[in-house]
Amino acid sequence: MGATTAPDVTVIIGAYEAMPYLIRCLESVDAQTLPAGRMEIVAVDDGSTDGTGEYLEEFAARTAIDMRVVRQENSGGPSGPRNVGIGLARGRYVFFLDADDYFGEEALERMVAMGDRAGTDVVLGKVIGVNRGAPKSMWSRTEERVDVHRSKVIYTLSAQKLFRRDLLERIGLRFDERLETGEDALFTMEAYLRGAGVSVVADYVCYHLVGRADGNHATRRGGYTLRFDAMEAMMALIHRLEPAGPKRDQLMVRPFTVGMLQQFATGLLRQPPDEQRHKMELAAPLMRSYWTDGVARRIKVAERLRLACVARGRLDLLTDVLRFLRGGEVPELVRSDRGDKLFLAYPYFRDEAAGLRESDYEVTVPDWHGDDRVRRPKRARGTAPQQPSTARRAVRRLRREIRGWRTRLSLG
């Protein structure tokens, strides 16, 4: 590697059995509008047997980009190769490019310019799927700096982003090689929370997320027990880095809705009873430690109710709720006597024997009642909150007088 000055960006590629997708991947790096002298490639062949390592070395011999190829025994996942790449990187930024995927031609130039202009430590470039789905909610507009707690960026925690290398070195951030799934989400969330800001490039397709014909995607690794391990790691990270309060509650919505709810969707009804019970057992300590009213009130009723059943260890109630949802039934919309609350009357609403709370059914965020959008009722502007009744005021006054008599007697 002949360059003496640090490049702007190091493209880190961990590759395992990546042919023929690797060909387009590397061509997309070679085609970048960012000049070759301003970037480098660190590619790690993780024990491939399909010619991946040989192709990496062939490409390194003919590209104008400084490129280092590491060939190692298979590590069992993407974390090891990525960590090797971080250790060898010299760029001011690093980008983790999966060997199946490819860049838009202006991707690195635009993202580096954004990071330099905004002074942020993480830059997201717009992602689209090729023969597979891709996240969409965070690409509504280009922003130099987003509020992580309010933005949709917490719903894209894959590693395919531009990270300032100084951040990774300053806080010692690496991928957790003990996790067999979810390691990229943990890495990215920590960078979001400990870095100097997050930027979004939404007006140009920077990254093409490719669906392999053989379906062999890293995101599909592992069984459900590994998913619970990943959830626990994410929940613990958020609690460690974010003080208790509304901001933490908002961040915790992510692992509960993206992680936990996926394990307790209607597909649970098709799973063997032993597996259903095992999932409830795995969820129990997480619900005890991390499920709070502050989190619950930021989630839609149908989702919150399922989690409330899990929190209470009531597989029987959960099963009935899931059957109701699978049937496509629409719950009754119920207004409180005072008109200040709306409820979606899913199964067991106001059934004292079931042990679920009325608040589990309350509309607290924009929700759906069939095809209609429903929202939490708002008190009309200029109206006073409802006052306690005369009887209630009299009872409260009497209680204060009694407390006063007791105090005077104890002092006497």
Side-chain angles (χ1 to χ4, degrees):
M1 301 176 70
T4 56
T5 58
D8 285 337
V9 58
T10 301
V11 179
I12 297 174
I13 304 173
Y16 173 70
E17 307 289 25
M19 297 297 287
Y21 302 93
L22 180 63
I23 297 172
R24 186 166 190 177
C25 172
L26 291 172
E27 287 176 348
S28 78
V29 184
D30 217 24
Q32 288 298 292
T33 55
L34 189 72
R38 292 176 57 190
M39 56 181 168
E40 67 173 0
I41 301 171
V42 175
V44 181
D45 170 33
D46 199 35
S48 302
T49 60
D50 67 342
T52 288
E54 291 78 4
Y55 188 80
L56 288 171
E57 291 176 343
E58 175 192 332
F59 184 85
R62 57 182 166 85
T63 182
I65 304 169
D66 282 333
M67 181 170 177
R68 178 178 298 184
V69 177
V70 177
R71 302 186 69 175
Q72 63 181 34
E73 294 295 319
N74 182 255
S75 65
S79 293
R82 287 172 177 167
N83 287 338
V84 170
I86 295 172
L88 295 174
R90 298 182 305 118
R92 294 188 299 116
Y93 298 94
V94 299
F95 192 102
F96 300 101
L97 172 61
D98 280 0
D100 306 334
D101 304 331
Y102 59 94
F103 283 130
E105 288 186 0
E106 300 174 22
L108 292 179
E109 183 177 15
R110 285 175 178 254
M111 287 189 285
V112 168
M114 172 63 88
D116 287 348
R117 183 170 66 250
T120 47
D121 283 344
V122 187
V123 181
L124 284 64
K126 184 175 182 178
V127 177
I128 64 169
V130 179
N131 299 321
R132 66 177 296 182
K136 297 179 180 179
S137 62
M138 60 293 305
W139 311 124
S140 60
R141 63 182 179 274
T142 293
E143 296 185 79
E144 290 196 358
R145 191 173 292 268
V146 301
D147 181 344
V148 171
H149 303 89
R150 296 178 179 274
S151 169
K152 297 293 185 182
V153 298
I154 63 170
Y155 293 99
T156 174
L157 295 180
S158 62
Q160 293 83 34
K161 296 165 178 61
L162 192 75
F163 297 89
R164 194 178 295 271
R165 189 166 67 88
D166 177 68
L167 168 69
L168 309 187
E169 297 305 330
R170 177 166 48 82
I171 67 175
L173 184 56
R174 297 294 187 270
F175 292 90
D176 189 340
E177 298 183 35
R178 297 168 298 178
L179 287 177
E180 295 187 48
T181 190
E183 71 293 326
D184 51 349
L186 204 66
F187 179 97
T188 303
M189 180 66 88
E190 184 163 357
Y192 282 177
L193 296 180
R194 299 185 68 183
V198 178
S199 301
V200 177
V201 175
D203 55 353
Y204 179 81
V205 176
C206 293
Y207 197 87
H208 296 79
L209 189 67
V210 176
R212 291 177 57 132
D214 59 9
N216 186 23
H217 303 300
T219 52
R220 297 183 180 179
R221 298 190 317 274
Y224 67 86
T225 56
L226 301 180
R227 307 287 178 185
F228 281 96
D229 291 341
M231 277 184 259
E232 182 175 18
M234 176 61 73
M235 292 173 180
L237 175 76
I238 293 172
H239 268 239
R240 177 168 60 87
L241 297 181
E242 193 66 54
K247 288 184 175 181
R248 178 198 281 180
D249 293 339
Q250 189 61 49
L251 292 175
M252 289 297 291
V253 169
R254 201 272 182 189
F256 277 110
T257 55
V258 175
M260 189 71 73
L261 275 175
Q262 291 176 338
Q263 301 304 317
F264 297 103
T266 54
L268 186 77
L269 298 172
R270 300 189 299 272
Q271 294 166 4
D274 287 350
E275 186 172 317
Q276 294 178 5
R277 289 191 291 270
H278 189 214
K279 285 188 174 183
M280 294 290 284
E281 291 169 2
L282 292 172
L286 304 186
M287 302 305 291
R288 284 195 300 269
S289 297
Y290 302 114
W291 180 246
T292 66
D293 286 343
V295 177
R297 292 185 68 82
R298 287 167 168 77
I299 299 176
K300 295 175 183 177
V301 176
E303 299 175 341
R304 184 198 311 145
L305 183 59
R306 285 151 55 193
L307 292 170
C309 293
V310 174
R312 288 163 177 77
R314 294 296 301 272
L315 180 58
D316 55 338
L317 304 185
L318 175 63
T319 299
D320 287 342
V321 171
L322 291 176
R323 286 174 180 150
F324 184 94
L325 294 172
R326 185 178 62 181
E329 299 181 61
V330 177
E332 181 184 356
L333 186 64
V334 178
R335 186 175 293 271
S336 64
D337 292 341
R338 297 171 60 177
D340 59 342
K341 296 179 182 179
L342 281 179
F343 304 95
L344 292 173
Y346 285 98
Y348 301 105
F349 177 60
R350 290 177 175 169
D351 182 344
E352 293 184 4
L356 294 168
R357 301 179 303 173
E358 190 175 81
S359 60
D360 294 328
Y361 298 81
E362 184 184 350
V363 175
T364 55
V365 295
D367 212 321
W368 290 98
H369 178 241
D371 295 329
D372 297 326
R373 195 73 159 155
V374 292
R375 299 176 183 273
R376 180 182 180 182
K378 293 183 179 179
R379 179 163 51 89
R381 184 177 297 177
T383 61
Q386 187 171 342
Q387 297 298 317
S389 67
T390 302
R392 287 183 179 177
R393 289 199 299 271
V395 169
R396 290 176 183 173
R397 185 168 58 250
L398 179 58
R399 286 174 176 168
R400 286 196 298 269
E401 291 174 355
I402 292 172
R403 284 197 296 270
W405 295 337
R406 288 175 175 169
T407 300
R408 287 193 294 271
L409 288 172
S410 64
L411 292 174

